[in-house]
């Protein structure tokens, strides 16, 4: 089995500066194992840049001057240079598979890297596929070629691959919500794994279901807001509203007539 060499407990960002060069108001943010975090802020506020700093193990060598610590120390060089040891997976709207193998062959090849016991590898593949199929509404057929998958299926498979097959401890997701992923379900499922999940998101549901959110402004980390009990309660209603809207969207897409049932349910 691949291990990451270090048991990661915390990753920390030491603040650098915003777009105009002023020091960030938040000097340090700690992400602990098990945390589900959102990064929020206007378009252009620096959300992608922040998670890129994490993925790059920034060491005052990116445009923001930020530094990353793992367990309170500079990350081992190996993390940067050895892909098999890299504890961070970044999934974006543009991430695709470089392989054109059928899904089952790709996953099997991947699983064999983690376990040379064929039975264990087969179990891993099965769990990964089942997980992916719970994340997306469009079932992934094992014989489909990787390049034929839809956006939602690709994202679901990438998330499942990072979470289960690679067992990556830190998973960064940059605005994957528009890609046909069941969001509340995804968060519920991901919470069963003790990892650090960081979502760049405009989705109120993901933000409110997170433990806390990092607010970006003009390239700077402006503040960190912990989700309080009121917000957690609100998340339940937001989820209902959102489900009703996506049902409506599906009905319209399928050429059906919509009725007032959803609205009645809401009252
Ligand atoms: N701290 C910073 N210092 C310098 N440039 C920054 C900083 N943060 C973001 N930028 C730049 O601002 C632009 C928008 O940032 P980006 O991270 O893409 O925003 P978002 O993902 O929130 O839309 C990018 O060109 C990025 O390089
Ligand atoms: Mg962005």
């Amino acid at each position: 089995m691949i291990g990451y060499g270090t048991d990661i407990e915390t990753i920390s960002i030491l603040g650098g500066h915003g777009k105009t060069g002023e020091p960030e108001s938040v000097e340090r943010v700690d992400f602990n194992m098990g945390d589900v975090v959102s990064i929020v802020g206007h378009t252009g506020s620096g959300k992608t840049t922040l998670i890129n700093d994490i993925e790059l193990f920034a060491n005052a060598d990116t445009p923001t001057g930020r530094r990353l610590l793992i367990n309170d120390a500079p990350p081992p060089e190996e993390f940067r240079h050895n892909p098999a040891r890299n504890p961070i997976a970044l999934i974006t709207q543009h991430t695709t598979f470089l392989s054109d193998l059928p899904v089952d062959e790709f996953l099997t090849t991947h699983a064999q890297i983690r376990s040379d016991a064929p039975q264990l590898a087969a179990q891993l593949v099965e769990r990964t596929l089942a997980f992916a199929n719970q994340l997306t509404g469009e079932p992934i057929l094992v014989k489909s070629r990787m390049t034929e998958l839809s956006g939602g299926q690709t994202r679901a498979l990438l998330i499942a691959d990072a979470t289960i097959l690679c067992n990556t401890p830190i998973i960064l997701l940059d605005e994957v919500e528009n890609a046909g992923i069941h969001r509340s379900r995804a968060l519920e499922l991901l919470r069963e794994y003790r990892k650090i999940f960081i979502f760049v998101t405009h989705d109120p549901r993901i933000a409110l279901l997170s433990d806390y959110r990092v607010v970006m402004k003009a390239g700077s980390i402006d503040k960190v807001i912990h989700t309080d009990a009121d917000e957690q309660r609100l998340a339940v209603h937001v989820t209902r509203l959102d489900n009703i809207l996506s049902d409506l969207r599906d009905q319209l897409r399928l050429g059906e007539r919509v009725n007032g049932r959803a609205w009645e349910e809401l009252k």
Side-chain angles (χ1 to χ4, degrees), residues 42-49 174-175 200 202:
H42 287 294
T43 300
S45 61
K47 303 182 295 296
T48 297
T49 305
D174 195 355
E175 298 194 38
V200 168
H202 294 288

Side-chain angles (χ1 to χ4, degrees), residues 16-21 24 41-50 52-53 63-66 174-175 200 202 216 218-220:
H17 48 75
K19 281 191 202 184
T20 49
E24 297 189 83
H42 287 294
T43 300
S45 61
K47 303 182 295 296
T48 297
T49 305
L50 176 64
N52 284 343
D53 280 342
T64 65
R66 292 184 187 121
D174 195 355
E175 298 194 38
V200 168
H202 294 288
M216 301 302 297
S220 258

Side-chain angles (χ1 to χ4, degrees), residues 96-103 105-107 145-148:
T96 48
F97 293 103
L98 292 174
S99 133
D100 190 29
L101 288 172
V103 170
E105 279 181 43
F106 171 83
L107 290 179
R145 292 192 171 273
M146 308 287 286
T147 45
E148 287 167 3

Side-chain angles (χ1 to χ4, degrees), residues 7-62:
D7 281 326
I8 297 177
E9 278 306 318
T10 311
I11 57 172
S12 312
I13 294 179
L14 304 186
H17 48 75
K19 281 191 202 184
T20 49
E22 75 296 347
E24 297 189 83
S25 32
V26 176
E27 285 172 13
R28 176 175 176 140
V29 186
D30 293 321
F31 304 102
N32 295 307
M33 247 324 126
D35 285 352
V36 175
V37 189
S38 284
I39 315 277
V40 300
H42 287 294
T43 300
S45 61
K47 303 182 295 296
T48 297
T49 305
L50 176 64
I51 58 167
N52 284 343
D53 280 342
I54 300 175
E55 201 224 358
L56 293 166
F57 303 100
N59 186 20
D61 51 0
T62 67

